[in-house]
Amino acid sequence: MVTEKTMLEQPAEAPAARDRALYVETYGCQMNKADSELITGLLAREGYRVTDRVDRADVILVNTCAIRENAEQRVLGRMSELNRFKTANPGLILGLCGCMSQHLGDRIIEKAPYIDLVAGPDSYRRLPAMLRALDTEDEPALNLAWDRAEHYLDIDPVREAGVNGWVTIMRGCDKMCTFCIVPFVRGRERSTPHGEVIRQIERLAAEGYREVTLLGQTVNKYRDGDVEFADLLSRAAEIDGIERIRFTSPHPAHFPDRLIEVMAASPKICPHTHLPLQSGASTTLSRMRRDYTPETFLDVVHRLRERIPRITLTTDVIVGFCGETEEEFEATREMMRTVQFDSAFMFKYSPRPGTASHKRLSDDVPEEVKARRLTAVIEMQKSISDTRNRAYRGQVVHVLVEGRSRRDADRLFGKTDTFKTVVFPMLEGVVSNAIVPVRVNGSTPFTLFGDVVKSA
Ligand code: 5AD
């Protein structure tokens, strides 16, 4: 029993969590953005005040990405910049969360001894205790434990204001592509129970979100008992209030006809798929251990386009992977020409310690060859994107308005269901989260421009 006496005997209280301002900065993919919302939700529940002013923060958490080496370099640079805030606020806690923490482990403290806390993607639930421990201990708080059972089920994320709600439906990855660090930093694959996914989408709908994006490293491999990804999508499409459903990132080896049928059957499921190609050469794909060939990849493309003619396809491409010959690179270019992706993220291969390609293959494509190949695919894709966007000119598209254009405050921007960004002049009554018809009258490889079609 807590009596007044025993309470008086307690040591002096550390500053309560509610007096502390939390600032979270995010690098990397959508999963990381969703994780930051989770971290914020978890610490808000403990009484931390969320701030968007880094200079006013008592706790700064940087949620990091380890996918390529330059991502890590950027974060390390940023950490040393953030360290400067400790001069004005010596009690400031500087923490590193996410994939890079898991990848570098305690070596990060050697590189940057001013970092107070390091937490991996399965350790967020321990953040409140780790922060408390820092009140009484001088040592940095470190937790990189794996937890296959961790789904963060009871935590409601605090979402950034916006029109799209992220819902993480699976964590981790079992694919083991040889170049990829994700399985080593995010652990084994696990699907969130479907009831919980539906609850989260219903909650988003009740909060007024019209669009949700289902997230997972290999999102289309989702399975909870008998419920497969296609089933989950059709259940999500039944939820009133949600008008657009997206998902990312699917793996090209997991597109059964049934999934394509469900996508084709529901107008709520957006006609856009991110289909990471990585390479167009069967030999490179097999060194990458991608589980598909150029032929089976093209088969998915054809089946998607046949059933969903309006569908747009985006992709990821890696150039200069271990042993990539000129012929293999040409096969990638050929594939990109054949498929005509709407847009692509293109990267030079960057060896990641711990991965199979780093251990067993040689990073033998010279830097200047990687650079030349990267420029070549970027230039080619730019022209393909330009052609594909030009085809929208004259069409009326339906845009879910996200807000003011970053470049021009007098214009609004939003996205089509096909994931094209559209910029158009502001109009009275057109607000964020509205879906408006816009006639496209111009385009670049990256953006469509137009005017709202006024109803008669
Ligand atoms: N080097 C370069 N690009 C990589 N990607 C993943 N790992 C690496 C790596 N080691 C790219 C892939 C993936 C995207 C998210 O990042 O194209 O689809």
Side-chain angles (χ1 to χ4, degrees):
M1 202 175 97
V2 181
T3 62
E4 199 172 282
K5 183 160 178 293
T6 55
M7 277 177 72
L8 286 173
E9 279 168 5
Q10 296 291 314
E13 284 270 315
R18 70 175 167 280
D19 298 329
R20 292 196 174 163
L22 166 74
Y23 176 85
V24 181
E25 190 164 295
T26 313
Y27 292 83
C29 64
Q30 291 91 338
M31 300 258 338
N32 266 9
K33 290 187 185 125
D35 275 2
S36 288
E37 295 178 345
L38 195 77
I39 292 171
T40 309
L42 205 142
L43 291 174
R45 190 168 81 173
E46 293 286 317
Y48 287 82
R49 240 180 331 109
V50 183
T51 175
D52 55 6
R53 289 278 306 264
V54 63
D55 54 334
R56 302 246 173 105
D58 300 304
V59 177
I60 300 177
L61 297 179
V62 181
N63 193 7
T64 59
C65 171
I67 199 95
R68 284 170 296 277
E69 197 186 344
N70 56 7
E72 284 194 352
Q73 294 307 335
R74 247 179 90 201
V75 169
L76 282 173
R78 179 63 179 152
M79 292 311 277
S80 98
E81 240 174 69
L82 290 171
N83 183 35
R84 286 197 235 124
F85 288 108
K86 285 196 176 179
T87 318
N89 180 4
L92 172 68
I93 292 175
L94 194 52
L96 195 81
C97 301
C99 298
M100 207 176 134
S101 321
Q102 199 72 44
H103 181 216
L104 295 180
D106 47 11
R107 275 175 296 150
I108 191 84
I109 307 278
E110 284 161 31
K111 283 187 190 222
Y114 48 82
I115 292 178
D116 304 293
L117 176 153
V118 182
D122 281 356
S123 316
Y124 299 147
R125 199 180 286 283
R126 299 181 188 90
L127 278 173
M130 292 168 77
L131 287 165
R132 273 195 301 275
L134 286 170
D135 289 332
T136 49
E137 282 163 34
D138 279 342
E139 289 294 299
L142 195 85
N143 197 310
L144 302 166
W146 298 108
D147 187 351
R148 258 193 107 158
E150 184 58 278
H151 292 285
Y152 297 110
L153 287 195
D154 53 319
I155 299 156
D156 282 322
V158 170
R159 293 190 161 85
E160 245 180 59
V163 302
N164 173 70
W166 311 107
V167 177
T168 301
I169 68 163
M170 77 199 287
R171 304 186 69 84
C173 183
D174 283 352
K175 273 292 187 185
M176 296 306 230
C177 303
T178 54
F179 54 80
C180 187
I181 200 163
V182 166
F184 303 95
V185 293
R186 286 192 164 268
R188 302 303 298 273
E189 192 175 286
R190 59 221 113 121
S191 295
T192 308
H194 65 274
E196 173 66 15
V197 174
I198 298 300
R199 185 190 75 82
Q200 283 199 34
I201 302 174
E202 283 171 347
R203 183 169 164 248
L204 284 169
E207 286 172 9
Y209 286 86
R210 301 176 87 176
E211 180 176 288
V212 293
T213 304
L214 308 182
L215 295 179
Q217 298 295 341
T218 47
V219 73
N220 49 338
K221 270 188 84 195
Y222 177 92
R223 178 182 269 281
D224 173 33
D226 293 340
V227 180
E228 293 180 5
F229 185 59
D231 306 307
L232 190 73
L233 272 185
S234 48
R235 288 191 199 185
E238 284 165 16
I239 297 171
D240 286 339
I242 296 297
E243 285 164 65
R244 288 185 173 186
I245 301 169
R246 302 186 185 280
F247 56 87
T248 202
S249 267
H251 190 286
H254 299 273
F255 268 93
D257 282 338
R258 209 166 83 75
L259 170 55
I260 297 175
E261 284 310 319
V262 166
M263 290 172 65
S266 171
K268 288 188 182 181
I269 302 172
C270 290
H272 162 243
T273 296
H274 188 67
L275 210 55
L277 170 67
Q278 313 302 2
S279 166
S282 60
T283 40
T284 313
L285 287 171
S286 114
R287 287 199 302 284
M288 290 177 162
R289 217 186 288 145
R290 280 296 282 173
D291 289 352
Y292 54 84
T293 62
E295 293 72 32
T296 55
F297 186 94
L298 276 179
D299 176 61
V300 177
V301 170
H302 291 145
R303 284 187 292 126
L304 282 166
R305 287 200 170 136
E306 196 176 285
R307 292 296 293 123
I308 313 163
R310 263 190 345 112
I311 200 165
T312 50
L313 299 174
T314 53
T315 198
D316 293 341
V317 168
I318 298 177
V319 299
F321 184 64
C322 309
E324 187 185 66
T325 62
E326 212 53 41
E327 291 71 39
E328 288 173 328
F329 172 63
E330 275 311 314
T332 299
R333 300 222 308 159
E334 184 56 33
M335 186 70 149
M336 292 172 77
R337 260 193 298 269
T338 305
V339 176
Q340 300 275 304
F341 293 106
D342 287 84
S343 69
F345 294 109
M346 292 156 281
F347 311 102
K348 290 189 269 190
Y349 169 62
S350 145
R352 306 309 289 130
T355 58
S357 64
H358 180 259
K359 279 191 210 148
R360 291 188 215 113
L361 301 173
S362 161
D363 177 24
D364 53 2
V365 177
E367 178 55 33
E368 62 274 15
V369 175
K370 285 184 184 171
R372 173 171 53 74
R373 290 180 185 170
L374 183 64
T375 307
V377 284
I378 289 175
E379 285 307 312
M380 189 177 86
Q381 182 57 46
K382 207 166 147 191
S383 133
I384 295 171
S385 298
D386 190 40
T387 308
R388 292 197 71 85
N389 283 355
R390 276 175 196 275
Y392 277 82
R393 294 188 186 188
Q395 283 186 32
V396 174
V397 292
H398 290 87
V399 179
L400 174 58
V401 183
E402 293 184 30
R404 287 175 191 234
S405 157
R406 282 171 206 117
R407 292 211 180 146
D408 178 353
D410 292 336
R411 295 199 285 178
L412 295 172
F413 83 103
K415 285 202 186 63
T416 63
D417 56 353
T418 56
F419 209 56
K420 299 282 180 187
T421 299
V422 186
V423 173
F424 55 95
M426 226 179 249
L427 197 71
E428 213 178 308
V430 176
V431 291
S432 291
N433 216 21
I435 296 181
V436 290
V438 173
R439 184 176 300 281
V440 179
N441 55 26
S443 65
T444 69
F446 311 103
T447 313
L448 305 179
F449 300 92
D451 287 300
V452 175
V453 180
K454 292 179 202 145
S455 42

